[in-house]
Amino acid sequence: FVDASKEGSEGDNESALNTASKHLLSVATKMAGAPPSEDQRNQHGTSSEIFAGVCRAQLLFQQHRDIESVWNTLLLPFLEDAIPKIPISMIGAYFDAIRYAIHYFHPNTYYLFTAWILDKIEASLWQPTAVVDTPKSFNNINDTNAASSNQQQGTDSFAAQSKWLYYCCAPLVEIDDFEDVIAMKPTDADEQQKQAVLQLDRNTVSTTKLPWYSSSLIQSEDTFFSNDKDDCAMQDNKQSREQKLSSTSSTWKLILDKLLPRLLSAIGHPYESCRDHIAHCLFRICHGHRKRIIMSGEQDEIGEDPGNIIVNKFSALLIKNSAAAIAATTSFRNKYHSLMTVRRFFTYCIHYGEARVEFSNYIIPLIPMTFEVIRLTVGDDDDETVESEKKGTKNDAGDVSTATGTNGNNGTATTTNNSILVLSEADTIAKRSLEAEVVKSYRYAISEISVSCILSYSMGIESDNNNKETSQDVSIKKKTNDDISRILTIIEQTAKHETWQVRHAATNFLRCFHGSHKFLLTSTHSETITSIVTTLLADDQREVSSAAMAAVTGIISVMGAEDGLVLGLVQKYIKLANSSLKKKKRKKKKTDTTTTITIATTTPLSKTTACIDKTQQLSIFFLCASIMAQPYHTPPYVPLALAAISKHSFERNAPLNVRDIVKKCCAEYKKSHMSDNWELHRKAFTQEQMEALGDVVSSPHYYA
């Protein structure tokens, strides 16, 4: 219709387009409100398709005319009427329709739509009830009542809030895509490149780097960047990238001033779908704004980087006495719902972001928080809750004034509005269930971060004609090494955490991280990783030491069976294992010297024995890991290690945990080697080594 309208007069074409649009949108409105039936889903889908076609036709035709009247009189009234009628199951259809309608348009073209959707979010989005520690003045009471009413309103319309948040992602994604198109546009100095990249066809622009479907959606070169909210006149084609980006400042100022603070205040939303959309919007704001800064080559004049604001907000959730922590602790559920939103933010950064930027700027600074969340769920959160209740904070049940004590059977008893509030058993179970859900999601996040984010910034970089690295190549490689070093520094500190669950999670993270980055690690990185996991072999908690042994097994298997470094490490730990053997006490005659010996050895032996036990556990666990690193081969160091650990399989020589791991290791070796190819493996053993192995794997005989 737009192509055909070019043949007629401008006034007639505009009148015909408006008449047709109104008729089609009226039909779409009826379809959007279709009653439940077998054909309801099809009618809702058709309604969204009609809106997409009408909206894009109007925006294409009205590029340099009155865009505001089109949105205010035609498009926004339709959305105001249709969106509340659409069920949650069909919001994806309208999301796609909105994206198609505004795809590759200048953000100022749909500025009014962006402002409209942000107004909807600001008016309806849930926010936590404010905590007032000072005596309530008249204004404070009004603020608290307003927050309470807003919370109640949000509770009643979570589905509507989910819709507005979901549709808000559409303009954020399109602003991001628009900046990609700007990056593809050559500057005036790149005239030769411009002819090679741009292919004009039917008054449209297509680029070799853009998706295949974009040629029919991008406007002509003469009009692509010509829309502006304040001045819709045609602009010069030779406008620079910086000028084109500066024309989007009004949209970004609206997003950062109006949307970002509102989203950050609602990260503890009680509705899971809303939390997911909030995390998605926050990621899109970080991603799009960062890309805008990179292309403009200078810091944005709008203000502070939103990525820093978001990361600081998330990091402060677990810092006591911080503003974010105080806001989160207004409710137990609010605190853990906020942590779940952060978890969803991780997911979007990992799967939609770029490792060079999102991983470095957003994920690495938040890695310590992921481990601290595990500590909080394991720790005594009830003590913090009671402490906050004593200070007069709010919980899920209402205003708490003072704490009167605890009930051993049912939970904490507090006074609420001159009555006794007792946390029932059901409330305690609900709290623990939410804690378990949060810690499970963060354990998954830790594994996802360690495996999915490959820091291969420097891989695939080609050298110049002289086979020398350019300064840019060197800087990229340095950034890769710096990011890996940052992660290892964080894990090294986490491995010393007082909570064993955190140490266990750090060990599993390091195991997966090493496996994913083994071809990118420098010798310094490898030594650091080996040092961390080797130290954890002596951990008092069995789960931590077992996980560390599995990590060491993976590291040794990567080194290779014929690597002399492994043989040197095995010989080192064989000496430690032999020196930690507990010597059999000789029976002495009862004389006066026995009392003297006993008195002399009681004090220093406690520390010495503990040190020997740790050395024994560390060395034996390392030797067992070296044996299990090669399940189908017998390198030269395996017989040495087997002979060394066999001495620690007896009760008089080692504690129970060491004896168990030795027996399991030898049994695993017997299972994987003493079968079809045993004659081949047997050649690597001496007679003495075979006897030592037989003492562990062979069953005791009656006549032995």
Side-chain angles (χ1 to χ4, degrees):
F1 177 82
V2 175
D3 292 336
S5 66
K6 296 177 182 177
E7 300 176 359
S9 63
E10 183 175 340
D12 295 340
N13 293 337
E14 184 175 1
S15 177
L17 177 61
N18 291 336
T19 302
S21 298
K22 291 178 181 178
H23 174 70
L24 291 173
L25 290 180
S26 64
V27 175
T29 303
K30 294 180 181 179
M31 290 184 174
S37 63
E38 296 180 357
D39 197 42
Q40 183 189 35
R41 186 179 183 86
N42 295 333
Q43 293 187 54
H44 288 161
T46 305
S47 173
S48 65
E49 293 169 357
I50 292 174
F51 168 76
V54 170
C55 182
R56 187 161 191 87
Q58 285 284 353
L59 296 182
L60 284 172
F61 186 80
Q62 301 285 357
Q63 288 177 32
H64 315 300
R65 299 173 180 85
D66 194 2
I67 292 288
E68 293 186 9
S69 63
V70 172
W71 280 109
N72 290 328
T73 62
L74 194 66
L75 301 177
L76 292 182
F78 169 79
L79 293 175
E80 189 83 39
D81 187 23
I83 288 180
K85 300 176 182 178
I86 299 298
I88 288 292
S89 59
M90 288 299 296
I91 61 174
Y94 268 83
F95 177 82
D96 294 339
I98 293 172
R99 283 202 58 190
Y100 173 82
I102 64 178
H103 200 44
Y104 287 149
F105 275 107
H106 193 285
N108 290 332
T109 305
Y110 48 90
Y111 178 88
L112 290 178
F113 169 75
T114 306
W116 174 77
I117 199 72
L118 296 190
D119 288 338
K120 292 293 184 181
I121 292 176
E122 188 175 25
S124 63
L125 186 59
W126 173 92
Q127 63 180 358
T129 304
V131 180
V132 182
D133 294 330
T134 58
K136 292 184 178 180
S137 62
F138 180 78
N139 293 331
N140 287 337
I141 294 174
N142 289 339
D143 294 341
T144 305
N145 292 337
S148 300
S149 62
N150 195 344
Q151 183 178 8
Q152 182 63 31
Q153 180 185 2
T155 305
D156 296 338
S157 58
F158 284 166
Q161 295 175 41
S162 179
K163 288 182 183 180
W164 301 128
L165 289 169
Y166 187 39
Y167 293 141
C168 181
C169 295
L172 294 177
V173 173
E174 291 307 317
I175 292 172
D176 195 0
D177 291 345
F178 174 79
E179 289 162 353
D180 284 336
V181 176
I182 293 179
M184 301 299 178
K185 287 283 182 178
T187 58
D188 299 334
D190 302 329
E191 187 64 27
Q192 295 180 354
Q193 180 185 2
K194 175 180 178 181
Q195 297 299 329
V197 174
L198 298 179
Q199 299 174 354
L200 299 179
D201 183 20
R202 292 189 60 192
N203 203 28
T204 61
V205 176
S206 64
T207 63
T208 56
K209 295 184 179 181
L210 291 176
W212 60 270
Y213 58 81
S214 59
S215 60
S216 61
L217 299 176
I218 303 180
Q219 308 159 57
S220 66
E221 170 124 10
D222 296 335
T223 61
F224 190 82
F225 295 102
S226 61
N227 293 322
D228 190 83
K229 179 176 179 294
D230 299 324
D231 184 12
C232 293
M234 292 286 292
Q235 298 184 13
D236 190 5
N237 255 347
K238 298 181 179 181
Q239 188 181 17
S240 65
R241 285 195 185 105
E242 290 76 9
Q243 292 172 329
K244 296 166 187 174
L245 286 168
S246 64
S247 64
T248 64
S249 297
S250 57
T251 302
W252 273 111
K253 184 172 178 58
L254 178 69
I255 292 172
L256 298 182
D257 293 347
K258 198 170 187 178
L259 178 63
L260 181 59
R262 196 68 180 85
L263 294 177
L264 290 178
S265 65
I267 59 175
H269 201 290
Y271 195 40
E272 181 179 2
S273 178
C274 291
R275 294 196 299 269
D276 185 24
H277 297 325
I278 289 172
H280 190 192
C281 290
L282 292 175
F283 164 75
R284 286 297 174 185
I285 292 173
C286 291
H287 189 265
H289 189 271
R290 182 263 308 167
K291 189 180 297 183
R292 182 175 187 272
I293 297 302
I294 291 177
M295 287 189 295
S296 63
E298 57 184 9
Q299 184 62 33
D300 198 351
E301 69 279 1
I302 295 176
E304 186 179 356
D305 184 5
N308 295 336
I309 297 175
I310 293 172
V311 170
N312 293 336
K313 170 74 173 182
F314 291 164
S315 301
L317 287 174
L318 300 182
I319 300 177
K320 293 184 178 180
N321 301 325
S322 65
I326 293 173
T329 53
T330 57
S331 167
F332 178 86
R333 294 181 181 275
N334 185 22
K335 174 183 177 181
Y336 282 90
H337 287 159
S338 300
L339 294 174
M340 294 172 74
T341 303
V342 180
R343 161 73 181 93
R344 295 299 301 168
F345 181 79
F346 281 146
T347 300
Y348 284 111
C349 288
I350 291 171
H351 296 288
Y352 289 170
E354 300 175 9
R356 187 186 301 182
V357 180
E358 270 73 19
F359 190 89
S360 178
N361 296 343
Y362 308 140
I363 294 181
I364 294 180
L366 294 175
I367 286 179
M369 194 195 74
T370 61
F371 293 103
E372 286 298 320
V373 171
I374 298 176
R375 183 193 68 82
L376 282 180
T377 54
V378 174
D380 296 330
D381 281 337
D382 290 338
D383 296 340
E384 297 180 3
T385 304
V386 172
E387 187 67 23
S388 64
E389 288 169 353
K390 290 179 180 179
K391 294 179 180 179
T393 60
K394 280 194 171 187
N395 61 7
D396 295 337
D399 295 331
V400 180
S401 57
T402 57
T404 59
T406 57
N407 188 319
N409 296 326
N410 297 327
T412 304
T414 57
T415 61
T416 304
N417 298 331
N418 298 326
S419 62
I420 300 299
L421 172 65
V422 179
L423 293 181
S424 64
E425 183 178 357
D427 293 335
T428 304
I429 293 175
K431 287 177 58 177
R432 294 306 176 189
S433 176
L434 182 58
E435 287 179 345
E437 183 180 359
V438 171
V439 72
K440 179 180 179 181
S441 65
Y442 270 82
R443 287 187 182 277
Y444 184 82
I446 291 172
S447 62
E448 199 173 32
I449 292 171
S450 63
V451 175
S452 301
C453 301
I454 308 300
L455 308 185
S456 56
Y457 313 155
S458 60
M459 304 307 294
I461 298 178
E462 298 180 357
S463 302
D464 56 11
N465 296 331
N466 297 328
N467 294 325
K468 296 181 180 179
E469 292 181 335
T470 63
S471 59
Q472 182 179 5
D473 298 342
V474 174
S475 63
I476 292 176
K477 290 185 177 182
K478 184 177 183 301
K479 178 176 175 56
T480 306
N481 294 333
D482 289 345
D483 286 346
I484 294 177
S485 300
R486 288 169 61 194
I487 294 175
L488 295 182
T489 301
I490 293 172
I491 300 303
E492 189 173 10
Q493 297 174 353
T494 308
K496 302 174 183 178
H497 202 279
E498 58 183 5
T499 306
W500 73 265
Q501 286 90 344
V502 176
R503 300 196 302 272
H504 181 259
T507 307
N508 288 328
F509 177 92
L510 205 56
R511 176 186 179 187
C512 299
F513 185 82
H514 177 269
S516 301
H517 296 80
K518 55 188 177 183
F519 299 110
L520 307 174
L521 299 175
T522 63
S523 58
T524 304
H525 296 153
S526 299
E527 291 175 1
T528 303
I529 294 175
T530 305
S531 174
I532 295 172
V533 295
T534 302
T535 304
L536 290 171
L537 289 173
D539 197 276
D540 296 333
Q541 195 69 28
R542 182 66 177 270
E543 290 84 353
V544 178
S545 58
S546 299
M549 190 175 71
V552 173
T553 301
I555 294 173
I556 295 177
S557 63
V558 171
M559 292 180 179
E562 304 301 329
D563 195 343
L565 178 62
V566 180
L567 179 59
L569 290 173
V570 169
Q571 292 175 345
K572 170 186 174 182
Y573 284 102
I574 287 176
K575 293 180 180 179
L576 288 177
N578 293 335
S579 64
S580 63
L581 274 173
K582 294 182 179 180
K583 298 181 180 180
K584 185 178 179 181
K585 296 181 180 179
R586 297 180 179 178
K587 294 182 179 180
K588 296 183 179 181
K589 297 181 180 180
K590 293 183 179 181
T591 60
D592 296 337
T593 57
T594 54
T595 55
T596 308
I597 294 175
T598 305
I599 296 173
T601 56
T602 48
T603 23
L605 270 184
S606 57
K607 293 184 179 180
T608 306
T609 305
C611 182
I612 292 176
D613 290 342
K614 282 187 174 293
T615 303
Q616 184 180 35
Q617 178 177 329
L618 187 150
S619 58
I620 295 302
F621 275 48
F622 184 91
L623 294 175
C624 291
S626 66
I627 294 170
M628 292 187 289
Q630 301 294 334
Y632 302 107
H633 302 281
T634 305
Y637 60 81
V638 169
L640 299 175
L642 285 170
I645 66 173
S646 64
K647 303 175 184 177
H648 298 261
S649 61
F650 306 103
E651 182 177 358
R652 64 178 181 271
N653 293 339
L656 178 62
N657 62 331
V658 175
R659 298 199 306 270
D660 286 345
I661 200 65
V662 168
K663 292 178 180 178
K664 289 180 180 179
C665 176
C666 294
E668 186 66 26
Y669 181 84
K670 177 182 179 181
K671 178 181 177 181
S672 57
H673 291 77
M674 292 184 177
S675 55
D676 298 336
N677 297 326
W678 171 237
E679 293 299 328
L680 180 63
H681 297 302
R682 189 173 184 176
K683 297 178 181 179
F685 289 83
T686 63
Q687 182 63 30
E688 184 180 354
Q689 292 169 347
M690 284 295 303
E691 293 176 356
L693 177 62
D695 291 341
V696 183
V697 299
S698 301
S699 301
H701 197 274
Y702 178 78
Y703 296 101

